[in-house]
Amino acid sequence: MTDLVLRTAVGNYGHTKPLKDGAIASTMFALEHIEVSPVVSIFRRMVRGLEFDVAEMALSTYMCARSHGKPFTGIPVFLTRAFYHGGLVFNTRSGIASPKDLEGRRVGLRSYTLTPGVWTRGILQTEYGVDLEAVTWVLSGDEHVAEFVPPANVLSSPNNNLGEMLLSGEIDAAIGAGPVDSPDVQPLFAEPDDADAAWHRKTGIYPISHMVVVKDAQLEANPGLEGELFEVFKTAKAQYIEGLRSGDHPSQSDQDLLKMAEIVGEDPIPYGFESSRRTLETFIRFNAEQGVIPEKISPEELFPASTLALV
């Protein structure tokens, strides 16, 4: 029995279930799982209150928090990934017909540092030539990192419902609005899955959404903690993936991962630094260019040196 108990807040995924139900455990520590819903609430509570020893964290939130000196550090356990062509919708009455038409328009999203927002803006700029500074970004919420100051072309709305904002004409398009029950709201990319697959084939990038961070005080007090955490998360994932391949997991999220594997290959949730180096380099560049972080850094700076070779 270990004396080290880590307050832990991560989402309920197939690959975290073995940790939460005790099927996978460590002799170095015990994980005290705190259930937080929705998952995005974990990020704010960790950034603003350091409530957890181990926490799920959106990748752009981590980068922004790191630039403001928040005392936690990531490990290369990447809990969720996604592609983003399907998350961009527009009001058909706006006259938008192509990505370039977003210039001069108002595009809504929950926060400027939102990870799907950073990825989507980066794709719009690099693949479709959209001038991001020619778009007005309208926020329906605030930032997890309270100290962050957004660029001049970012506004805040009193309305926190992107669907309502789209239908009223307050915004012309939105990132991450979710389902909007109106024929006036349509996806900007008619075949987003095909666009995602083509982009992945071209770039080799598999976007990271959420990762795991650890409170610095725990890392300093417990040498080797980062490596042991990586190992238990990896073992839990391996158990889940084995079942996924054998057809034991029929849920919609399982089917979504199997669909993702058709694009990215055998492992739809890869962990480890080196295999994600290009993805991390690209995302760091997007964050720096968009003003989420003050300057580009090397991806190695995001993680303890002892974790960089872990696979």
Side-chain angles (χ1 to χ4, degrees):
M1 189 71 177
T2 176
D3 292 330
L4 178 58
V5 179
L6 302 174
R7 281 175 54 86
T8 302
V10 297
N12 293 305
Y13 309 113
H15 45 295
T16 58
K17 183 176 183 296
L19 293 175
K20 291 196 165 187
D21 65 17
I24 302 297
S26 169
T27 58
M28 182 181 184
F29 53 75
L31 300 177
E32 177 192 359
H33 292 284
I34 312 300
E35 294 301 324
V36 178
S37 181
V39 166
V40 294
S41 299
I42 299 173
F43 315 157
R44 174 182 292 263
R45 289 170 62 177
M46 186 64 176
V47 169
R48 298 194 177 191
L50 293 176
E51 289 190 37
F52 312 107
D53 298 308
V54 179
E56 184 167 345
M57 181 69 61
L59 182 54
S60 59
T61 300
Y62 171 53
M63 290 185 185
C64 185
R66 178 192 171 282
S67 73
H68 287 277
K70 303 300 179 179
F72 49 78
T73 299
I75 60 174
V77 170
F78 306 120
L79 293 175
T80 66
R81 300 192 185 225
F83 289 104
Y84 293 107
H85 281 87
L88 186 56
V89 298
F90 72 106
N91 186 322
T92 57
R93 293 173 294 171
S94 67
I96 292 172
S98 71
K100 281 289 282 184
D101 294 335
L102 296 173
E103 295 177 3
R105 307 304 180 97
R106 296 162 65 94
V107 178
L109 68 169
R110 195 200 64 76
S111 70
Y112 187 75
T113 60
L114 183 79
T115 295
V118 177
W119 277 118
T120 303
R121 288 193 299 262
I123 292 168
L124 288 171
Q125 180 183 42
T126 57
E127 297 298 312
Y128 303 98
V130 176
D131 180 357
L132 301 181
E133 295 184 0
V135 179
T136 299
W137 306 99
V138 183
L139 310 184
S140 65
D142 63 358
E143 308 293 343
H144 295 307
V145 181
E147 297 89 340
F148 174 72
V149 178
N153 60 327
V154 179
L155 305 176
S156 291
S157 171
N159 194 335
N160 64 3
N161 187 307
L162 290 171
E164 291 179 0
M165 294 162 68
L166 273 168
L167 293 174
S168 71
E170 180 182 354
I171 56 177
D172 303 296
I175 297 168
V180 180
D181 187 18
S182 169
D184 290 334
V185 177
Q186 297 293 328
L188 184 59
F189 297 96
E191 302 291 341
D193 292 347
D194 292 345
D196 289 336
W199 182 70
H200 176 70
R201 285 194 300 270
K202 176 182 176 181
T203 64
I205 296 168
Y206 183 15
I208 297 164
S209 301
H210 298 174
M211 59 184 297
V212 172
V213 299
V214 188
K215 193 182 294 184
D216 287 347
Q218 290 289 7
L219 293 174
E220 293 161 5
N222 300 284
L225 176 60
E226 63 271 23
E228 180 69 5
L229 279 166
F230 182 90
E231 289 301 321
V232 296
F233 273 94
K234 184 182 80 169
T235 303
K237 189 197 81 167
Q239 184 179 98
Y240 168 70
I241 292 293
E242 183 179 356
L244 188 69
R245 290 174 183 147
S246 67
D248 289 347
H249 305 296
S251 75
Q252 184 58 54
S253 61
D254 300 325
Q255 297 307 307
D256 290 343
L257 275 178
L258 289 170
K259 180 180 176 183
M260 197 75 81
E262 295 176 4
I263 297 175
V264 302
E266 187 175 358
D267 186 355
I269 28 178
Y271 293 172
F273 172 77
E274 198 57 50
S275 64
S276 292
R277 176 187 289 275
R278 179 183 292 183
T279 294
L280 291 164
E281 288 174 341
T282 300
F283 197 57
I284 288 168
R285 176 166 56 85
F286 286 170
N287 276 270
E289 290 176 351
Q290 295 173 31
V292 174
I293 58 177
E295 60 187 3
K296 286 199 329 185
I297 59 172
S298 70
E300 286 88 348
E301 293 177 58
L302 296 173
F303 309 101
S306 60
T307 65
L308 298 179
L310 297 176
V311 293

